[in-house]
Amino acid sequence: MEFEKISAPSLKDLFVKQLQSRILSGELPAGTQLPPERELARQMQVSRAVVNGGISDLAAQGFLEIRPRQGTCVADYRSRGNLSTLAAIME
């Protein structure tokens, strides 16, 4: 009998999952401006590196839009989503 390796999710994965669920549930509708990374890190009690990496992942999946010097906002993933968006929704 063989068992699979057990691994715990990283903080970045947990951050991504939490924001994804808030976006998909409608708690964070499209166009909502997120707090700055420093504030998000303080509120969620994680490092800025976790927040930065998570935001980058969510932007690549089509859930967030990063606007230089303006901040990060929730993207309209329904009309601008990509294959990664669909995979994340199905997960």
Side-chain angles (χ1 to χ4, degrees):
M1 177 181 330
E2 289 189 38
F3 294 95
E4 293 181 24
K5 178 184 176 193
I6 297 174
S7 62
S10 68
L11 285 175
K12 183 180 85 164
D13 292 340
L14 293 173
F15 174 84
V16 167
K17 293 288 182 200
Q18 184 174 3
L19 254 62
Q20 271 180 353
S21 71
R22 287 183 175 198
I23 292 169
L24 292 172
S25 72
E27 188 178 338
L28 291 173
T32 303
Q33 184 83 18
L34 293 182
E37 285 183 10
R38 182 172 290 158
E39 180 62 22
L40 270 176
R42 187 190 65 74
Q43 287 180 17
M44 299 179 90
Q45 298 181 359
V46 295
S47 70
R48 283 185 64 198
V50 168
V51 173
N52 186 284
I55 286 174
S56 295
D57 286 0
L58 287 165
Q61 292 174 355
F63 289 108
L64 295 179
E65 184 178 340
I66 301 170
R67 298 177 180 161
R69 296 190 181 133
Q70 293 180 8
T72 304
C73 68
V74 177
D76 185 7
Y77 66 90
R78 290 182 179 128
S79 64
R80 295 185 181 175
N82 54 36
L83 192 56
S84 296
T85 310
L86 180 62
I89 291 171
M90 292 179 69
E91 194 177 287

